[in-house]
Every structure is written in structure tokens, then in C-alpha cells.
């Protein structure tokens, strides 16, 4: 579904991504993890075309995304920090998005209803709290039935109830609807029953890329946190 | 694209600065009429006001608006919209609103002052100035991600076109006044859209007679129809070139 070949990305003199090769396919719950500044957000921004990349490095369904925009109709994106124009009302946002995507006739309103977005309709974006903005952003990401969901730190700022709702929705999206979900998170506990594959980035390189079952067998741990800790410990002691 | 332009234009009309701008144009326009009466004096006064105010409002307002709407831009970017579509929408809605306010704000006083074709020419030139300086503002906003830097350089552009350029031309004319540099001055004036427009409007009035020998050279060009056409084409180029460069830069920019 998404192929990344030798992706390099430099900002000025700083090389943030130093040659990444990855392949993502439908039905995967992919957890992108790694320490701060390892290039997770940069990688996501490259996928979304927010950061420009050279031609031929990233393919979406076999098509090069270089200078393309149409492929983004298949992507739902929830950014790390959702910021909207302050004066805009929630209702206007949804109306505008629907009118931009006029070709879509059915909407996925599950999160929209679960988060009770309609109750916020008359509120201005500037007055919403960070968590409420995250909810709006999540509802928006799912709205047009995208085949790929990209969530950058989705659980930061969400209350526990909303967090569970989002996780349940993600679980359903991966297992029942066979879609690709790409999540970055520091809160590994949140990824526990969503992720089926782990990609660990370190200083702009892929340190390891393993199926969850594989990792489980290698480390004989059950919790994600412990698995990664054990695995990294093994790696460093070997190296 | 239409939906985004519609949304942005509505958003701009709700902006209080836009309303204050309109009010300012009305107050100065009608104020001048009540002070100076009718005719060419009003036209020249409004010309000078346009030269001072239009570039500043267009540069400062557009650049602030672009930076303020940056998050919105990112939000729209997640949708299947081409980057050029986004930038063209921003440019079009800013142009529509600012030019509309300018036309409405000065058109009404001009109409009551009884200015004829010259008044229309001023409005046309002023509208082109709007397009030019909104384009330059977007260029600066895209070039500099740092807001202070973008703002500083756009103010520098304003100072350059409004004050510095004229000073340099004056210096040139003063130092080389023994040489036949009238033609050269004509070509140099092409480098500043404000001068170009100012001369174009001035030449249609009696004030042209005060401009001496240089004025005679200008008279040949700026009063003929082909000359007027040429100036308008040059002004259009001044609007198109910075904007097309800004599209190119925007396509390559890391947002």
C-alpha cells in the first residue's frame, strides 16, 4: 500500500531521516515508536506531502506521491497538536470539509457521535480546550472513510473515556475493515492491543521492524513496554 | 477552489481591520472633498493617499493574515488539494476583498468629486497595486517561516518602493543632470510599480506641465494609448511575476 525507498530528508544541514526503507500494507496496525527527535513526525509529514521529498522515494498504491495531492483522499490525518482558525466555528469546519470533499456522499459518523461533536457546533475553535480540539480532529480524520489513518500522538490530551472510544474505533478499523493504521505514540500502553507491527526509529534510521508476535516470542514478555525494553537491552548488550 | 475562496473571503469580511480600512478611506476621501473642493486636486490627493496606504495595508495585512491562517492551511493540506490551489485561493480571496474595499472606499469619493476618466484610471492603477503588493506579501510569507523576519522584510519592501526608490532616482537625476538621462529615467521608473502608476495618473492631469523636460519625454509615452497600455501590461507583470514565483516556492516548501 505504501512503499518507502531510501527516504532521506534534510533540514538545512541537519539530516533527520537517513535512508528509510519500509513497506506498509492494508490491515496493519503499525506503531511508529522511538525517542524524541528520531524522525517520527518528519516521516509522517513526508508521507502526507507536508515535507517535500525527491521523486521516486514514496509510493502510495504504486503511484509516486511526488507533487501529487489526489492520493490524500485516501488518508485520514490526525496531527499531534490540532490547531484551527480561532474564529471558526466547529459547524463551519465540518461544513467546509464536506463541501471540499463533495464527491463523498456517506460519512463515518461513529466518532463524531461518540465524541458528541454536534453539541460543540456553535462553539468557536479558539475557545475549545486542547482535548476537545483533539476530538474534533479525530472525528474529522475518520469522516471520509479513508483507507489509511495516520495518527500522530493521538492519545495525548484525551481523557480516559475518549481514549478508550478512539482505541476501540481503531481496533475495529484494523481488524474488521482491513485498513492501514499508522500511529506514533510515547504512551506504549495505549498501543497494546492496536499495534500488530512495531517500527522503532532511532536517529533517522529504522532500528528494528518486527511483527508483534515475533517480538513476543523473542522476548517472552506480554506487555509492549516490557517487550521493547527487553529487546533494546538485548540489542545493546550484543552490540 | 471556489469553496475555499468563498470561505476565506467571508472570513476576511468579518475582520474588523478591513472595516476600519474602508472607514479610513471614506473619511480621508470625503474629508478631502470638503476641504479642497472638486476636481484635480482631489484626484492628486487621493493618488498620494493610495501610494502611501495601499502598499502598506496590502503587505502588512496579507502577511499577518497568511501567518494567522497557517494552521488552517495545514488542515486543508491534509485534504486532496494541490498546493497551488491553496495558494491561489489565498491570493484570490485577499485580492478580492482588499481590492473591493479599495474600489468602494475611494470610488465613492471620486464619484462625488466629479473626476472622470482620470478617476477611473486611478482606481484601475490602485487595483493593480493591490494585486502587486498582495503577491509580494505572500512571497515574503512563504520565503520566511519566521514571522518577524517576514514582517520585517515586507516593511522593508514598503519603505523601498515608497521612499528609497524615489530618493535614489532623485540622486541619479541630481548627479547626472548635465546628461540626457530622460529616457533612462523612464526605463528606471519601470522598476517601481508605484512610480509607474503615479506617472501614469499624473500625466493625465494639468500637473504634468510642471514636470519640465523629463515630463516632456514622459508625456510622449504616458498619454498615448499604446503607452498607457504598455504601463498597464507592466503593472500586470509586476503582479504576476512575484505571485508565480511564490507558487513555485510554495510547492517546494516544507510546511
Amino acid at each position: 500500500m505504501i512503499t518507502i525507498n531510501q527516504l532521506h530528508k534534510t533540514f538545512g544541514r541537519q539530516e533527520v531521516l537517513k535512508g528509510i526503507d519500509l513497506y506498509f500494507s492494508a490491515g496493519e496496525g503499525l506503531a511508529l515508536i522511538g525517542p524524541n527527535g528520531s524522525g517520527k513526525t518528519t516521516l509522517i509529514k513526508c508521507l502526507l506531502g507536508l515535507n517535500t521529498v525527491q521523486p521516486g522515494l514514496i509510493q502510495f498504491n504504486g503511484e509516486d506521491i511526488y507533487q501529487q495531492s489526489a492520493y490524500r483522499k485516501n488518508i485520514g490525518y490526525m496531527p499531534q497538536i490540532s490547531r484551527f482558525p480561532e474564529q471558526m466555528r466547529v459547524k463551519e469546519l465540518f461544513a467546509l470539509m464536506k463541501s471540499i470533499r463533495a464527491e463523498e456522499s456517506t460519512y463515518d459518523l461513529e466518532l463524531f457521535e461518540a465524541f458528541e461533536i454536534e453539541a460543540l457546533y456553535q462553539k468557536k475553535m479558539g475557545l475549545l480546550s486542547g482535548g476537545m480540539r483533539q476530538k474534533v480532529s479525530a472525528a474529522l480524520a475518520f469522516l471520509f472513510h479513508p483507507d489509511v489513518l495516520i495518527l500522530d500522538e493521538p492519545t495525548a490530551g484525551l481523557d480516559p473515556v475518549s481514549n478508550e472510544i478512539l482505541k476501540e474505533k481503531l481496533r475495529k478499523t484494523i481488524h474488521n475493515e482491513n485498513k492501514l493504521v499508522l500511529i506514533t505514540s510515547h504512551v506504549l500502553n495505549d498501543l497494546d492491543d492496536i499495534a500488530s507491527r512495531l517500527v522503532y526509529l532511532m536517529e533517522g534510521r529504522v532500528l528494528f521492524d518486527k511483527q508483534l508476535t515475533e517480538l513476543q516470542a523473542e522476548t517472552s514478555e506480554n506487555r509492549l513496554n516490557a517487550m521493547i525494553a527487553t529487546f533494546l537491552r538485548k540489542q545493546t548488550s550484543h552490540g | 477552489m471556489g469553496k475555499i475562496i468563498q470561505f476565506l473571503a467571508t472570513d476576511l469580511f468579518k475582520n474588523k481591520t478591513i472595516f476600519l480600512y474602508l472607514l479610513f478611506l471614506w473619511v480621508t476621501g470625503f474629508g478631502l472633498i470638503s476641504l479642497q473642493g472638486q476636481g484635480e486636486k482631489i484626484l492628486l490627493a487621493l493618488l498620494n493617499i493610495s501610494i502611501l496606504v495601499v502598499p502598506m495595508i496590502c503587505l502588512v495585512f496579507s502577511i499577518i493574515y497568511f501567518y494567522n491562517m497557517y494552521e488552517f492551511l495545514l488542515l486543508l493540506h491534509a485534504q486532496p488539494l494541490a498546493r497551488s490551489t491553496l495558494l491561489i485561493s489565498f491570493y484570490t480571496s485577499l485580492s478580492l476583498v482588499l481590492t473591493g474595499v479599495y474600489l468602494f472606499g475611494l470610488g465613492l469619493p471620486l464619484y462625488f468629486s466629479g473626476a472622470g476618466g482620470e478617476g477611473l484610471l486611478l482606481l484601475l492603477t490602485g487595483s493593480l497595486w493591490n494585486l502587486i503588493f498582495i503577491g509580494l506579501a505572500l512571497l515574503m510569507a512563504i520565503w520566511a517561516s519566521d514571522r518577524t523576519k517576514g514582517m520585517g522584510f515586507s516593511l522593508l519592501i514598503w519603505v523601498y518602493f515608497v521612499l528609497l526608490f524615489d530618493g535614489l532616482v532623485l540622486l541619479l537625476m541630481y548627479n547626472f543632470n548635465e546628461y540626457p538621462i530622460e529616457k533612462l529615467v523612464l526605463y528606471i521608473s519601470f522598476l517601481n510599480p508605484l512610480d509607474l502608476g503615479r506617472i501614469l495618473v499624473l500625466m493625465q492631469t494639468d500637473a504634468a506641465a510642471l514636470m519640465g523636460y523629463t515630463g516632456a519625454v514622459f508625456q510622449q509615452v504616458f498619454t498615448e494609448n499604446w503607452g498607457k497600455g504598455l504601463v498597464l501590461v507592466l503593472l500586470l507583470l509586476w503582479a504576476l511575476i512575484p505571485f508565480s514565483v511564490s507558487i513555485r516556492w510554495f510547492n517546494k516548501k516544507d510546511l
Side-chain angles (χ1 to χ4, degrees):
Chain A
M1 197 157 213
I2 299 176
T3 316
I4 302 173
N5 297 315
Q6 277 301 309
L7 177 61
H8 289 265
K9 180 73 200 172
T10 46
F11 294 109
R13 283 186 191 163
Q14 198 188 359
E15 194 173 20
V16 180
L17 298 179
K18 303 166 183 168
I20 295 209
D21 291 290
L22 284 170
Y23 177 77
F24 308 142
S25 49
E28 275 188 316
L30 195 120
L32 199 60
I33 49 185
N36 298 98
S38 56
K40 303 185 294 287
T41 299
T42 307
L43 177 62
I44 283 183
K45 281 185 156 184
C46 288
L47 286 179
L48 287 163
L50 283 166
N51 286 347
T52 51
V53 294
Q54 297 299 310
L57 298 184
I58 302 177
Q59 269 136 31
F60 189 92
N61 284 336
E63 309 254 341
D64 191 353
I65 66 160
Y66 177 70
Q67 302 255 306
Q68 294 297 312
S69 57
Y71 76 97
R72 286 199 290 268
K73 67 175 183 288
N74 299 315
I75 298 183
Y77 173 49
M78 181 176 167
Q80 196 164 7
I81 302 160
S82 313
R83 283 190 290 192
F84 301 98
E86 305 247 309
Q87 295 299 316
M88 196 183 207
R89 287 176 201 282
V90 179
K91 188 180 181 179
E92 291 170 333
L93 173 72
F94 279 89
L96 179 70
M97 286 302 159
K98 283 177 183 170
S99 71
I100 289 175
R101 302 285 293 271
E103 75 279 1
E104 311 276 340
S105 49
T106 57
Y107 305 116
D108 183 350
L109 293 174
E110 206 179 321
L111 276 188
F112 183 86
E113 278 156 10
F115 287 156
E116 293 168 349
I117 306 282
E118 199 145 8
L120 306 174
Y121 253 22
Q122 293 307 322
K123 289 217 170 113
K124 286 186 175 170
M125 285 295 179
L127 298 175
L128 294 185
S129 75
M132 281 155 129
R133 276 200 289 264
Q134 286 294 87
K135 286 187 194 175
V136 171
S137 179
L140 205 59
F142 280 92
L143 195 63
F144 302 107
H145 301 282
D147 295 331
V148 178
L149 279 147
I150 298 180
L151 302 102
D152 199 355
E153 302 275 351
T155 51
L158 282 182
D159 60 72
V161 180
S162 311
N163 202 345
E164 277 312 307
I165 294 174
L166 181 62
K167 275 164 73 179
E168 183 53 42
K169 176 70 184 167
L170 285 172
R171 221 170 289 143
K172 230 191 287 177
T173 314
I174 299 166
H175 298 302
N176 303 354
E177 297 169 30
N178 201 37
K179 291 179 174 174
L180 171 61
V181 174
L182 222 162
I183 309 178
T184 73
S185 187
H186 289 294
V187 191
L188 295 174
N189 293 333
D190 283 341
L191 298 171
D192 251 334
D193 29 305
I194 301 169
S196 61
R197 177 179 159 198
L198 286 173
V199 174
Y200 195 96
L201 286 188
M202 182 93 160
E203 286 167 5
R205 289 198 179 83
V206 178
L207 189 67
F208 68 80
D209 172 9
K210 285 187 187 301
Q211 296 297 324
L212 192 71
T213 43
E214 224 179 306
L215 200 65
Q216 228 158 5
E218 275 180 41
T219 56
S220 56
E221 296 275 2
N222 270 324
R223 280 175 43 252
L224 206 51
N225 245 334
M227 264 186 254
I228 290 163
T230 319
F231 187 84
L232 287 178
R233 213 176 299 133
K234 267 192 195 170
Q235 286 252 316
T236 43
S237 65
H238 284 305
Chain B
M1 194 183 327
K3 296 284 176 192
I4 304 170
I5 293 173
Q6 197 188 345
F7 178 84
L8 288 173
T10 330
D11 187 57
L12 281 166
F13 271 120
K14 287 185 204 158
N15 198 307
K16 286 193 190 82
T17 316
I18 292 291
F19 179 70
L20 283 175
Y21 179 40
L22 181 64
L23 217 62
F24 169 79
L25 290 176
W26 273 344
V27 167
T28 35
F30 286 114
L32 281 169
I33 289 181
S34 65
L35 284 174
Q36 300 193 323
Q38 305 277 302
E40 253 172 27
K41 269 185 171 175
I42 300 290
L43 185 77
L44 293 179
L46 290 180
L47 172 69
N48 283 328
I49 286 173
S50 303
I51 288 172
L52 280 177
V53 170
V54 167
M56 188 172 66
I57 290 281
C58 287
L59 282 166
V60 173
F61 185 83
S62 306
I63 205 162
I64 292 180
Y65 189 72
F66 185 84
Y67 284 139
N68 272 351
M69 292 303 266
Y70 194 70
E71 275 81 39
F72 182 64
L73 191 81
L74 294 186
L75 184 73
L76 288 178
H77 190 280
Q79 302 299 321
L81 296 165
R83 283 193 177 190
S84 51
T85 311
L86 293 176
L87 199 65
I88 291 170
S89 310
F90 266 81
Y91 182 70
T92 316
S93 31
L94 277 168
S95 304
L96 276 177
V97 173
L98 286 174
T99 314
V101 168
Y102 174 77
L103 288 177
F104 199 43
L106 282 198
L108 225 55
L110 273 174
Y111 176 76
F112 283 112
S113 77
E118 295 89 35
L120 283 178
L121 196 64
L122 170 62
L123 289 180
L124 181 63
T125 320
S127 309
L128 285 167
W129 285 339
N130 271 286
L131 301 185
I132 291 166
F133 286 97
I134 294 169
L136 286 171
L138 289 185
L139 192 69
M140 284 299 115
I142 289 160
W143 173 68
S145 299
D146 179 16
R147 293 173 188 218
T148 336
K149 194 172 154 194
M151 196 68 178
F153 273 87
S154 67
L155 283 175
L156 206 67
I157 288 183
W158 181 73
V159 170
Y160 174 74
F161 281 134
V162 174
L163 299 171
L164 282 182
F165 189 88
D166 288 348
L168 291 175
V169 171
L170 216 60
L171 204 68
L172 181 92
M173 288 172 85
Y174 182 75
N175 281 315
F176 294 94
N177 58 1
E178 314 211 319
Y179 302 90
I181 54 164
E182 287 77 21
K183 277 254 165 72
L184 184 70
V185 171
L186 176 71
Y187 292 127
I188 288 177
S189 72
F190 289 176
L191 297 175
N192 184 345
L194 288 176
D195 271 0
L196 213 51
R198 167 160 49 198
I199 298 167
L200 179 65
V201 177
L202 267 181
M203 281 299 153
Q204 320 306 321
T205 67
D206 296 336
L210 299 172
M211 286 180 68
Y213 192 56
T214 320
V217 176
F218 284 177
Q219 193 89 33
Q220 284 172 357
V221 178
F222 285 86
T223 48
E224 301 274 344
N225 273 337
W226 68 267
K228 284 188 212 170
L230 175 75
V231 173
L232 293 177
V233 169
L234 281 170
L235 287 175
L236 267 179
L237 281 181
W238 261 104
L240 281 176
I241 293 172
F243 181 56
S244 50
V245 173
S246 70
I247 290 185
R248 188 163 302 171
W249 285 359
F250 189 58
N251 278 334
K252 287 183 191 154
K253 190 177 159 74
D254 292 319
L255 296 175

